[in-house]
Amino acid sequence: QLVVMAENVNPSELLAHIPLICKEKKIPFIYVEDQAYLAEAAGMNAGAKTAAIALMEISKGAEAAFKGVMSQTEALN
């Protein structure tokens, strides 16, 4: 449904191919500022970091929030 990547991945080449694949497969993608923030938002343990996550399914309770994020993403693009 959506790929979320952190901007502060070092080296940045680790994620360089993901936007290309997303565009090819017509999968929306966005960036967040920090790996630690992304890990926390994904429910990972405190202190964890992650370079990217893929949202595969959106639960019924999260559909409205997801639609809000997607509309903001589309407005920025």
Side-chain angles (χ1 to χ4, degrees), residues 35-64:
Q35 291 178 330
Y37 170 78
L38 182 57
E40 180 183 330
M44 296 178 170
N45 294 331
K49 294 182 180 180
T50 187
I53 61 170
L55 301 175
M56 305 299 287
E57 293 181 21
I58 310 303
S59 66
K60 298 254 186 235
E63 287 177 347

Side-chain angles (χ1 to χ4, degrees), residues 20-55:
L20 300 171
I21 294 169
C22 287
K23 287 177 183 176
E24 179 181 308
K25 303 286 185 186
K26 295 184 170 73
I27 301 169
F29 63 93
I30 59 173
Y31 289 92
V32 295
E33 188 175 349
D34 185 62
Q35 291 178 330
Y37 170 78
L38 182 57
E40 180 183 330
M44 296 178 170
N45 294 331
K49 294 182 180 180
T50 187
I53 61 170
L55 301 175

